[in-house]
Amino acid sequence: MTRTGLVLGAGGIVGQAFHAGVLAALEDNLGWDPRTADLIVGSSAGSVTGAALRLGVAASDMAAFATDQPLSPDGAAFFEAIGGDDHDLPAPSASDLLRGWRLPPLALLARAARAPWAVRPAAAASTLLPAGRYDLQERTRVLDALTDGWPQGLWVCAARRDDGKRVVFGRHGAPLARLSEAVAASCAIPGYFAPVAIGDREYHDGGVHSPTNADVLAHAGLDLVIVVSPMSAAHGVTRRADGAVRWAAHRRLDGEIRRLRAGGTEVVRIEPSRSTLAVMGMNAMADDRTAAVVEMARRDASSHLAGARSARRLLPLGAIGHAA
């Protein structure tokens, strides 16, 4: 039997809309239910989407909710339980970054002294930023009421605040955490959201280590991994103001995919095209373009998947409606 992995990258509210469109395209075009993936890896926005899949929400319901279309009974019950479309987060402000900067933590300095090549610049810089003011756990606590313990086959990526090291909650050997804590930590953008205390450490956004973290599946024994990467750009090139960031995310994903393929795993990557980027805009936390992003991502991904031979060859078909 084919073993599949699904990687859902960072990208804010707009990234979640991109996920919904792409996952709906997987259902539409390949007849594959993303809930049946053997392993789901979520980083930041991807942790929210991954948790929803593991809690039984169909991709078709994610897309329908975002575009104000009718939901299945199960989908309607889920979105009612989590509070519907309550996205009223305050806009990031420059004043948030003008207070409370920290000196390099001792744990970061010690890690850099032991293995400087292992410390990523973005992760190191994130340890210096002030703690954000907005507590995401107020929004994620509802997840704990929807599941008994940790959902099987879900890995949530976050970064330790004191040394920038990636931690994969849900994987063997990781610190124990409630689903609400791990998702809040994975989404806690440094300087904007408050870091999340789990055990005796604080954690924040897993995207500071990598926007996708696909390489955590390198030794998972999977036949196929599908990577959905809202923060990069197809072919890595875009003339937008955020072009350098998207190119860096694309190149980072290149390296992660090489590691997966070196172990014999087939990989399908799905990144925003020029047309999808135009709809996504520049503000990842904007909540006024969700429906448009879902529709464009769905159309774009459908075209991409039409030529994805490995996905068509390896994915188990006819699985819609039978969640893992």
Side-chain angles (χ1 to χ4, degrees):
M1 180 177 292
T2 300
R3 285 180 51 79
T4 57
L6 177 63
V7 175
L8 301 166
I13 293 172
V14 173
Q16 285 180 249
F18 184 76
H19 288 148
V22 171
L23 296 178
L26 283 164
E27 277 193 0
D28 295 342
N29 293 272
L30 300 183
W32 181 68
D33 189 337
R35 294 174 294 179
T36 65
D38 293 276
L39 281 172
I40 297 176
V41 174
S43 301
S44 198
S47 72
V48 178
T49 304
L53 288 172
R54 281 300 187 238
L55 292 174
V57 183
S60 54
D61 274 327
M62 293 183 195
F65 179 76
T67 55
D68 200 24
Q69 299 297 313
L71 298 166
S72 72
D74 287 345
F78 175 83
F79 286 110
E80 182 178 358
I82 66 169
D85 58 355
D86 183 17
H87 287 317
D88 56 343
L89 292 168
S93 168
S95 64
D96 293 334
L97 300 178
L98 297 179
R99 51 174 184 77
W101 281 74
R102 311 194 310 161
L103 294 173
L106 292 177
L108 174 66
L109 297 175
R111 184 173 173 229
R114 289 193 306 270
W117 58 86
V119 179
R120 296 190 172 177
S126 72
T127 68
L128 312 180
L129 289 169
R133 292 183 289 172
Y134 312 112
D135 185 3
L136 272 175
Q137 291 186 87
E138 295 178 358
R139 295 169 178 269
T140 62
R141 263 184 211 106
V142 65
L143 296 175
D144 295 332
L146 300 176
T147 183
D148 294 326
W150 187 270
Q152 184 177 2
L154 175 65
W155 291 359
V156 172
C157 298
R160 289 198 305 229
R161 190 177 180 227
D162 59 357
D163 64 1
K165 185 175 182 181
R166 177 174 65 191
V167 174
V168 185
F169 293 106
R171 186 167 66 173
H172 178 72
L176 294 178
R178 293 192 293 269
L179 181 60
S180 63
E181 294 172 329
V183 170
S186 186
C187 294
I189 301 169
Y192 180 36
F193 293 121
V196 177
I198 299 174
D200 59 355
R201 310 291 280 267
E202 287 188 331
Y203 299 85
H204 57 205
D205 199 317
V208 303
H209 180 88
S210 164
T212 43
N213 291 294
D215 57 322
V216 301
L217 293 177
H219 303 291
L222 300 172
D223 300 297
L224 173 69
V225 170
I226 297 172
V227 183
V228 186
S229 176
M231 286 190 66
S232 57
H235 312 297
V237 179
T238 173
R239 296 183 178 179
R240 291 159 40 109
D242 60 354
V245 173
R246 291 189 175 276
W247 178 85
H250 178 88
R251 294 294 296 163
R252 175 79 67 193
L253 181 55
D254 279 344
E256 294 171 357
I257 288 175
R258 281 195 296 272
R259 288 194 63 194
L260 289 168
R261 287 177 172 159
T265 301
E266 298 265 11
V267 180
V268 173
R269 67 194 291 168
I270 303 175
E271 301 166 285
S273 70
R274 182 182 303 175
S275 56
T276 301
L277 287 173
V279 176
M280 292 172 78
M282 299 294 296
N283 179 10
M285 299 305 290
D287 60 1
D288 60 350
R289 62 200 63 179
T290 297
V293 172
V294 170
E295 294 293 0
M296 183 59 73
R298 192 173 193 164
R299 186 187 318 166
D300 215 11
S302 295
S303 298
H304 179 78
L305 290 168
R309 297 179 187 175
S310 57
R312 291 184 172 277
R313 176 168 55 86
L314 292 173
L315 283 177
L317 303 182
I320 300 298
H322 301 283

